[in-house]
Amino acid sequence: MGSPKAWPAARSRRAAGIRWGRCCYRLIYTMSLVAAVYAVTAHFRAIPLHRSGELPNQVSSLQANPMQMNQTIPVAHLSRAEQEKLLWIEKPNSLCFGLGNITILSVAIDLPKAYLVQLRKNRLSYAALHGYRYCEVRTPLDFSRPFPWTKVKAMMLLLSFAETVVAMEADAIVRNKTIRVESILSLEQYNVSGKDVIYTSDYQQSHDADPDPKSSINTGVYIMRSSPWTKAFLESQYRLHTSSIFQTSNLEHDAVKVYRMKNKEDFNAHVAIIPFRFMNSPCTWDLDKYEDGDFIAHYAEEHSLDKYERLALQLATMNL
C-alpha cells in the first residue's frame, strides 16, 4: 500500500488524472457535436428545395443524356413531419420528389436501368410542372407477399398524410402533360364528386364508351382520396391476400373484384368508374386504343425484361 507519507501525493495525482480525463471527454463531446451540426447543415444545403415547374440540374442532364444510367436523381427535401411519416420510402433505391396535395405513386421493382431513367424523366417532369409530389418504391414493403402487394401497402401508408394519391403502374406513361389531375376529380358527368376512389373502365369497351355501375374495371391507373372508407377498403384488400383464389398475377385487381362482389352497394356508393380514355388508355401490340391527346398511355403487356428494354428505346425517341 506504500508509505502513509505518499498517500496525499497519490491522491493528488489521481485527482489530476480525473480532471484531465473529464477535460478530454468534454473536448471530444464538443467536437463531435460541432461535427454533427456541420454535417446536417451541409446535407440540407447540398440539395435545395425546387419550386414547382423546376427540375434539379442533375435531372435536366439526364433528360439531355438518358443513357447516364448510374447517375443519382436528387429529390426535394420534405418537412421534418413528412420525413417521419415517410420512413417507409427511405428504403434503398426509393424516393419522393416535390411537395403538393396530389401525390403520384409508382412501384418500380426490378426494372432495367434504361427504362427507369425514362420513367423518372416522365414522372418528375409532370409532377414538377403541376406542383405534385412523386413517390417511387423500388423495394418490396412486405417480403412475405408477392411484390404486386407493395402498391397496396404504399397506398395505405401514403394516405395517412397525403390528400389524394394517383397510383400508376410502371408501364403507364403520361403522354399529355397539359392535363391536370384536378380535371379528373371534377368530372361531373361521371358522379366523381364525393367519391373516395376513381377507377377506369376495362379495355373491353370502346374508346368513347361510357361505363355503367356494372362495368369491369382496370387497376392500372386509379385515384384515391384519403378517407376512413378508403383506408378500410385497402385494409380489406390486404387481408384477402391469404385467399386461395389469388393464383393469378393480377393480385390487386382480383382483390378489388372480390370486395365489389361481396359489398356491391357499398362499393358503388364510394367508387366512381370513368372511361379509360381519361387516364388509362391501353397501348399495346394487340390492343391499341390510345388516341392522340389522351392523358396516360398504359403499355399493359406482360411484365418482362424485353418489354421494358423495348419501351426504353421507344420513349427515348419521344418528346415526353
Side-chain angles (χ1 to χ4, degrees), residues 140-180:
L141 298 179
D142 186 343
F143 286 92
S144 68
R145 299 172 179 236
F147 77 79
W149 287 104
T150 291
K151 183 168 67 170
V152 178
K153 183 67 172 179
M155 262 289 189
M156 294 167 64
L157 293 164
L158 277 175
L159 287 172
S160 67
F161 65 92
E163 294 182 11
T164 304
V165 179
V166 183
M168 296 178 60
E169 292 282 7
D171 54 5
I173 297 296
V174 177
R175 295 284 296 269
N176 186 347
K177 294 180 182 177
T178 65
I179 297 178
R180 297 179 61 88

Side-chain angles (χ1 to χ4, degrees), residues 7 15 21-22 48 66 146 163 178 181 233:
W7 291 354
R22 288 175 177 173
E163 294 182 11
T178 65
V181 174
F233 175 56

Side-chain angles (χ1 to χ4, degrees), residues 73-145:
I73 299 179
V75 299
H77 284 286
L78 305 175
S79 68
R80 185 176 300 276
E82 287 189 319
Q83 286 180 14
E84 293 176 355
K85 295 175 181 177
L86 277 173
L87 290 177
W88 64 275
I89 208 69
E90 294 299 327
K91 290 178 177 289
N93 302 318
S94 298
L95 65 87
C96 268
F97 170 88
L99 300 170
N101 294 329
I102 293 176
T103 300
I104 299 172
L105 167 67
S106 289
V107 175
I109 298 176
D110 295 335
L111 294 180
K113 290 185 178 180
Y115 182 75
L116 183 62
V117 169
Q118 298 301 327
L119 176 70
R120 288 182 170 181
K121 282 173 53 182
N122 183 259
R123 298 288 197 269
L124 294 175
S125 59
Y126 177 71
L129 178 64
H130 297 293
Y132 302 151
R133 177 195 288 114
Y134 170 55
C135 288
E136 175 187 289
V137 184
R138 293 189 59 202
T139 54
L141 298 179
D142 186 343
F143 286 92
S144 68
R145 299 172 179 236

